[in-house]
Amino acid sequence: MTAMEQSPEAPLRVRDAAQLAWDDSADLLVVGFGGAGACAAIEAASQGVSVLALERFAGGGATARSGGVVYAGGGTLQQAEAGLEDSPESMYDYLRQEVGDAVSAETLRGFCENSRANLAWLERHGAAFQGSVPPLKSSYPSDQYFLYYSGNEAVPSYAAQARPAPRGHRALGSGMSGINLFRPLAASAQRLGVRVQRQCEARRLVVGDDGAVLGVEAWALPVGSRAAKRHARLARWTDALHPYAPALADRWRRKLRALELAHAERRLIRALHGVLLSAGGFVFNRAMLTLHAPRYLDGLPLGTSGCDGSGIRLGQSAGGCTARMERASAWRFINPPLAWARGLIVNAEGRRYCNEEAYGAKLGHAMVEEQGGRAILILNRALMKDAFAQVGPGKVWSFQRLPAVLNMLFNARRASSLAQLAERIGLPQANLERTVATYNAAARGEREDELGKSRGFLASLEEGPWYALDLSFSSKLFLCPVITLGGLTVCERSGQVLGQDGQPVPGLFSAGRNAVGVASNFYVSGLSLADCVHSGRRVGAHVAGLVRAVLASSQGEQQ
């Protein structure tokens, strides 16, 4: 689908709301019913606010298809259950290293101090968590474990700055846990009276002469129609197929768009106190990615078809500003198998550039932003043997096992000497030999590792034969998932979208990956979902305050 097909139109401008014949209305109108939208809806509805959510597909967005990990700490019940100590200060000291200046120190501190309460809030609305910790670090633990080190907390350079603790709280349930997190939230929203209009797309905002957002012009497929049924079926297949056949999934997205354009019916929906844009990022929009983050075009877009930037562009159409649009996250996970992380990764010059035990997004960032996308993993026979054993049936997830096995079988260059290996993969021989020799000295305990790798992650590569696996960003056999991190700039106290002058756009809010938040600098597993809770609840509470203020004013006038 082309950028022109998806670009939201300029706002429908009117003198005042009474000028239009509205088809529906609500105090808060939510555009995008995923993690952030659901949390905003629940928070607002629990305070007596009427909420209508518009969802282009079935609901859940990237949250429902994620690992369901919520980054939380400061002494959660699950951390206590595991016998672990943590504090908001330690959480803040760690996250400051990851979040940078994406949000203010005050906002990040509040995020950390409210972390336990936000996790407890999720539990009150049906989500479940547990304090079982895996014995070894992994990019995503098996169904036996639900609390883990989901970032760089235990990496020495980070641990020196902040006391480490596992803070990745995975929603309890079998399989990928995103759906286990979203389903109870959707059910809670329904119990609280939140209405959800599915297969309904907000195509443009309705704006008054004073610049205030009054509502949206939406287009909905007729409920129960043949087109709606086909759309639902095709949407499910498209997102399920995408990781395995991206090109075919893209063709099906064009069919989805054609169905919407041919059969959807126009509806004008009034937002009495605010429109929330919570429609995700823009990783599925090639035009936006080319413009803002072209280095990430070779990655595998991670999310759902709704992550097309439509919510961001709706905000821009009303004067909203964006920031950090160049920020994206490439996930080059090399653990499991743990043996891979005990090897070393080099660039096109045969030199190491990142601690291999670091979180996959940190490794991916260095690979894409600093090394031209190159990442070549060097192992020896002992580590290859360990790696095969570590990804055996029943030991890791299939999405972790299959790429590892395929690459060891079909993407590994073998050589009886490092000189021969360098020749076969096109690396400078002297550099590779020097890199491996320096690494071996650290593994033998003769020196500290130059990149600060933990002793337990070091392995001597003195004995061959040696293997090289090309895990570069453009690899077709070891695809690298990518998400976008930038979005609309918002007031960090209310979630209101900010305009060019730094002032709020009246009546317009944004949350989740649609907006700049705590996850907009470097990514850590669970940080995006935690920000959905934080930023979504923030908007819901603010709109509830607006409703109360209007009600109090009205009652005062009557008296």
Side-chain angles (χ1 to χ4, degrees):
M1 71 190 69
T2 69
M4 287 299 295
E5 285 176 325
Q6 285 200 305
S7 294
E9 301 174 39
L12 172 60
R13 295 193 176 272
V14 296
R15 288 190 303 277
D16 57 60
Q19 184 179 341
L20 297 177
W22 300 95
D23 296 293
D24 205 341
S25 68
D27 290 326
L28 174 61
L29 187 59
V30 175
V31 177
F33 193 63
C39 289
I42 291 170
E43 183 65 39
S46 67
Q47 298 189 44
V49 173
S50 64
V51 182
L52 172 60
L54 307 182
E55 167 57 47
R56 184 181 167 198
F57 299 104
T63 294
R65 292 191 65 82
S66 74
V69 179
V70 178
Y71 196 90
T76 66
L77 290 176
Q78 291 73 26
Q79 289 176 320
E81 178 186 340
L84 301 166
E85 292 185 10
D86 194 17
S87 68
E89 292 75 20
S90 294
M91 182 179 177
Y92 173 85
D93 289 341
Y94 168 68
L95 283 181
R96 186 79 272 173
Q97 301 173 73
E98 303 284 14
V99 173
D101 61 353
V103 298
S104 68
E106 179 185 4
T107 294
L108 180 59
R109 197 171 293 281
F111 174 83
C112 296
E113 290 172 350
N114 293 322
S115 177
R116 286 175 297 177
N118 278 334
L119 198 71
W121 182 86
L122 288 172
E123 291 180 296
R124 290 198 300 275
H125 290 283
F129 303 93
Q130 187 191 81
S132 50
V133 181
L136 299 173
K137 181 172 173 60
S138 172
S139 61
Y140 191 74
S142 70
D143 270 348
Q144 296 174 273
Y145 306 107
F146 294 89
L147 175 63
Y148 73 116
Y149 284 99
S150 62
N152 291 303
E153 299 89 351
V155 175
S157 60
Y158 289 85
Q161 306 280 334
R163 182 175 179 175
R167 301 188 183 101
H169 290 67
R170 179 182 158 211
L172 192 62
S174 60
M176 295 294 286
S177 293
I179 194 65
N180 301 327
L181 178 65
F182 180 74
R183 276 178 179 161
L185 293 179
S188 182
Q190 183 178 17
R191 286 193 298 271
L192 288 165
V194 174
R195 294 182 294 140
V196 182
Q197 173 70 66
R198 294 177 174 82
Q199 296 181 306
C200 181
E201 177 190 13
R203 292 192 189 167
R204 62 173 171 167
L205 298 173
V206 180
V207 177
D209 277 346
D210 60 355
V213 175
L214 304 175
V216 304
E217 180 186 84
W219 292 76
L221 292 174
V223 177
S225 66
R226 182 177 179 182
K229 292 177 181 178
R230 187 182 177 203
H231 184 274
R233 184 169 58 250
L234 194 56
R236 287 195 303 271
W237 291 348
T238 298
D239 286 335
L241 181 70
H242 174 77
Y244 311 101
L248 180 57
D250 284 342
R251 288 201 293 272
W252 287 0
R253 285 190 188 93
R254 288 191 286 272
K255 292 182 179 180
L256 280 169
R257 192 58 175 164
L259 275 172
E260 293 164 349
L261 294 175
H263 299 284
E265 299 173 347
R266 182 175 184 259
R267 302 187 72 211
L268 289 174
I269 306 177
R270 176 81 166 97
L272 300 173
H273 295 281
V275 171
L276 167 63
L277 302 175
S278 51
F282 62 93
V283 75
F284 278 89
N285 187 307
R286 299 288 290 181
M288 289 182 72
L289 206 59
T290 300
L291 177 63
H292 298 291
R295 290 176 177 172
Y296 293 87
L297 285 165
D298 284 338
L300 175 69
L302 191 65
T304 67
S305 299
C307 301
D308 62 357
S310 57
I312 295 172
R313 297 193 312 283
L314 278 171
Q316 289 177 300
S317 74
C321 286
T322 60
R324 297 183 174 267
M325 296 291 281
E326 78 285 357
R327 303 294 292 189
S329 183
W331 298 355
R332 182 46 87 220
F333 288 110
I334 59 169
N335 175 21
L338 180 62
W340 280 22
R342 299 187 71 207
L344 59 89
I345 282 183
V346 298
N347 59 15
E349 297 300 316
R351 297 187 176 95
R352 287 176 73 208
Y353 56 87
C354 188
N355 181 344
E356 294 84 4
E357 72 175 299
Y359 176 63
K362 182 175 178 63
L363 179 56
H365 177 83
M367 174 182 68
V368 175
E369 295 288 343
E370 302 166 8
Q371 305 299 329
R374 295 306 304 277
I376 302 166
L377 177 64
I378 307 297
L379 306 170
N380 64 359
R381 179 163 54 190
L383 287 180
M384 284 283 280
K385 182 179 178 181
D386 288 345
F388 273 113
Q390 290 164 359
V391 295
K395 295 185 178 181
V396 296
W397 294 94
S398 59
F399 72 82
Q400 296 167 330
R401 178 188 310 111
L402 186 59
V405 171
L406 286 175
N407 276 273
M408 288 189 288
L409 290 177
F410 304 110
N411 188 29
R413 297 288 185 92
R414 181 183 183 277
S416 57
S417 69
L418 288 174
Q420 185 183 54
L421 188 69
E423 181 182 358
R424 289 186 174 178
I425 57 178
L427 297 180
Q429 175 186 332
N431 287 353
L432 182 62
E433 290 178 334
R434 188 181 305 113
T435 296
V436 175
T438 302
Y439 186 78
N440 287 341
R444 293 192 300 265
E446 298 170 4
R447 57 177 293 171
E448 291 298 317
D449 180 65
E450 60 186 359
L451 295 180
K453 198 171 186 177
S454 299
R455 187 59 55 90
F457 276 84
L458 293 168
S460 176
L461 303 179
E462 293 176 276
E463 295 186 11
W466 292 268
Y467 298 81
L469 283 70
D470 191 346
L471 306 183
S472 297
F473 187 52
S474 60
S475 171
K476 300 304 180 186
L477 199 58
F478 199 58
L479 297 176
C480 189
V482 167
I483 62 171
T484 55
L485 304 179
L488 295 168
T489 57
V490 296
C491 169
E492 294 181 9
R493 293 182 300 278
S494 65
Q496 290 177 280
V497 174
L498 300 178
Q500 297 285 346
D501 57 359
Q503 297 301 307
V505 176
L508 189 62
F509 301 81
S510 188
R513 207 171 289 158
N514 206 131
V516 172
V518 296
S520 293
N521 188 45
F522 288 123
Y523 190 78
V524 172
S525 286
L527 198 57
S528 184
L529 290 187
D531 188 48
C532 284
V533 181
H534 169 78
S535 62
R537 291 190 69 191
R538 176 174 65 191
V539 170
H542 185 81
V543 172
L546 295 178
V547 173
R548 286 194 298 271
V550 170
L551 181 61
S553 176
S554 175
Q555 290 174 342
E557 291 176 0
Q558 291 176 0
Q559 294 174 354

